[in-house]
Amino acid sequence: MREAHPIERTVGMEYYVSDADGVGGHLRASPEDFRVTELEAFETAPVDADTGGYPHVVMRVELRDWDTNDFASALSDRLGISRERVSWAGTKDKRAVTRQLFSVKGIDPDDLPDLDGTDIEVVGRAGRPILFGDLAGNAFEIAVRDTDAPENAAAVVAALRGFAGDAAGADSDLPDEPVTVAVPNYFGQQRFGSRRPVTHEVGLAIAREAWKEAVLAYVGNPHEREPEDTQAARAYVDDTEDWQGALERLPRALGYERSMCHTLVENGAEDPADFREAVETLPSNLQTLFVNAAQSYVFNLICSERLERGLPFDRPVEGDVVCFRDSEAPGDLPLPDTDRTQRVTEKRLRTVERHCERGRAFVTAPLVGTETELADGEPGEIEREVLDEVGIEPGDFDLPGEFDSSGTRRAVQVRTELGVQRDGDALTFEFSLPKGSYATVLLREFRKNDPET
């Protein structure tokens, strides 16, 4: 275990599991170097099904170098409809070639536009929209180029096999066949904003119902990775809270920030309700993302503390809460069923350990919400200490509208079959992950450098 890169530590990923030096290198030299294919889990009716019972057109879309939200906005604009009528199961990386399902309510498939960098295939109709989480997972093929020390990859693979419970010794060569590896199931950097990781700060302010603080965290709060004119505009907001002046300075590309400022100019920005109104001008999925990011940050901190204390991730200790495998998940992609949980007592410890060894159960940590029941023993102690550190408690998520969250639990470890191929100073990784897990969290163990490189 070694300390993580500083930008990763700001979002709660404080350690790498592997002690080996990284390979370095660059991600996304081109979009084709980062390929993501959604493992679909959404049933459709034929495209000629009755539009009354099946009003949602379902499409399989390949995107090249498109942000998911930007594509949804562009598609709705071209169709002349509200963006809220466009739905998808999971947000993908922008600088990538991605393939995933979208649904659009109440349109004629013949009206679908041609958009540069996209390939749209209508696959059917549905009686409801695709909802966030309506997928089994994602398959990845990712190239890391211009590595400094590709020979280090073998030692990282060995360490991650060990974290998965494989006692195989270190090997100086990469395995010829895919092998089982595991990493902490951290939420990746993109959950919080890759260039400017602040969404969790906004979410924590919302949980405290500090609405003005939430606005300032999003509209102000400059980051050194941003262009100088953007940093200057955000600094002006922090220094003056002059919303009209902010509109004159914020770049046009910052449409969400400008929308919030417009609202504050119009409502006078005097009361907490005015700042809440500004936050609520944002798309509903972005409002939810803020709260989710706060929950994700807390989860990451809990995982990091568990690592620091040397507690296992592949098996429980007394006091842990485990969840069982989803019986409807694909056989080669085990998914936790977070609705089926069990507290691990001293009496049940060995039995639950066997379930975990066989892939039937998973150790969890909370995504904190109003219905969260914290663990017992040392795991519970960790959860309570982290919540105290960030200054929130489960009841704080009893919030209005899109901000409310009852919470759930999430497996602390994710496993996969990993194949690695070397071609000179380039490494290609092939693997699949269950929904909600991040490819970059696996790759960070190999690269051990700035995640934006």
Side-chain angles (χ1 to χ4, degrees), residues 248-266:
E248 297 167 3
R249 291 166 173 79
L250 286 167
R252 293 282 177 184
L254 301 182
Y256 293 148
E257 288 90 337
R258 292 178 60 84
S259 175
M260 295 169 78
C261 291
H262 272 297
T263 300
L264 291 169
V265 170
E266 291 173 356

Side-chain angles (χ1 to χ4, degrees), residues 206-346:
I206 290 171
R208 303 183 193 107
E209 295 192 80
W211 300 103
K212 181 177 179 180
E213 181 184 334
V215 169
L216 289 171
Y218 193 66
V219 181
N221 198 11
H223 195 281
E224 62 184 8
R225 292 172 180 256
E226 295 183 294
E228 289 186 7
D229 60 338
T230 300
Q231 292 186 50
R234 294 193 191 280
Y236 177 84
V237 170
D238 284 342
D239 292 342
T240 68
E241 298 179 18
D242 172 10
W243 309 109
Q244 181 60 53
L247 279 172
E248 297 167 3
R249 291 166 173 79
L250 286 167
R252 293 282 177 184
L254 301 182
Y256 293 148
E257 288 90 337
R258 292 178 60 84
S259 175
M260 295 169 78
C261 291
H262 272 297
T263 300
L264 291 169
V265 170
E266 291 173 356
N267 67 23
E270 295 182 355
D271 301 318
D274 297 332
F275 290 92
R276 173 181 158 187
E277 182 185 2
V279 177
E280 290 178 334
T281 63
L282 300 175
S284 58
N285 67 319
L286 185 53
Q287 296 177 42
T288 301
L289 175 64
F290 290 142
V291 174
N292 292 161
Q295 295 167 316
S296 303
Y297 174 62
V298 170
F299 177 90
N300 281 359
L301 289 174
I302 290 170
C303 287
S304 291
E305 182 63 21
R306 189 176 182 108
L307 274 175
E308 184 169 353
R309 295 193 186 201
L311 296 185
F313 279 60
D314 60 337
R315 61 191 185 279
V317 298
E318 186 178 345
D320 264 321
V321 177
V322 300
C323 68
F324 293 95
R325 179 172 176 158
D326 185 345
S327 59
E328 297 181 0
D332 59 347
L333 195 69
L335 295 175
D337 182 352
T338 53
D339 291 330
R340 298 173 57 220
T341 61
Q342 183 178 99
R343 289 179 179 271
V344 181
T345 62
E346 181 181 11

Side-chain angles (χ1 to χ4, degrees), residues 53-125:
Y54 300 92
H56 300 270
V57 174
V58 180
M59 311 164 297
R60 185 176 295 116
V61 182
E62 183 174 281
L63 300 175
R64 183 188 185 278
D65 210 17
W66 271 93
D67 175 84
T68 311
N69 282 282
D70 289 346
F71 169 74
S73 295
L75 181 64
S76 61
D77 286 348
R78 289 285 295 274
L79 290 168
I81 63 173
S82 166
R83 204 194 78 148
E84 300 294 327
R85 287 163 61 180
V86 183
S87 303
W88 59 93
T91 301
K92 312 300 185 199
D93 299 84
K94 177 185 177 182
R95 188 158 176 77
V97 175
T98 64
R99 195 169 177 84
Q100 68 182 112
L101 294 181
F102 286 82
S103 66
V104 186
K105 183 178 181 181
I107 65 162
D108 186 328
D110 292 336
D111 291 337
L112 287 167
D114 290 325
L115 294 169
D116 290 342
T118 75
D119 183 12
I120 300 176
E121 173 193 3
V122 176
V123 297
R125 288 186 171 274

Side-chain angles (χ1 to χ4, degrees), residues 19-20 24 35 53 76 92 102 118 144 160 175 177 193 200 207 232 254 258 260 287 297 310 363 374 404 409 413:
D19 284 323
R35 294 184 176 273
S76 61
K92 312 300 185 199
F102 286 82
T118 75
V144 178
L160 300 187
E177 300 293 330
H200 61 298
L254 301 182
R258 292 178 60 84
M260 295 169 78
Q287 296 177 42
Y297 174 62
V363 180
L374 301 178
D404 182 77
R409 296 191 76 89
Q413 185 191 68

Side-chain angles (χ1 to χ4, degrees), residues 403-415:
F403 306 115
D404 182 77
S405 178
S406 58
T408 185
R409 296 191 76 89
R410 172 181 169 94
V412 297
Q413 185 191 68
V414 62
R415 302 161 68 94

